[in-house]
Amino acid sequence: MSLNDTPSANRVHIAFFGRRNAGKSSVVNAVTGQALAIVSDVKGTTTDPVQKAM
């Protein structure tokens, strides 16, 4: 069974928590190797959850 066929509930979930504008979105982009999360100097720009299957 491939990752895309595996239900989300059966996958390992990793979360990044921290203050606004602390670099969490940059870390998500670096870990995934893609520009998934918007990166901005404006606080609160990426307050919505970002999910990426890896």
Side-chain angles (χ1 to χ4, degrees), residues 11-37:
R11 298 179 190 165
V12 174
H13 292 83
I14 299 171
F16 297 97
F17 297 92
R19 294 177 180 249
R20 280 189 265 161
N21 220 36
K24 297 178 301 293
S25 295
S26 296
V27 170
V28 169
N29 288 345
V31 168
T32 61
Q34 300 177 25
L36 294 174

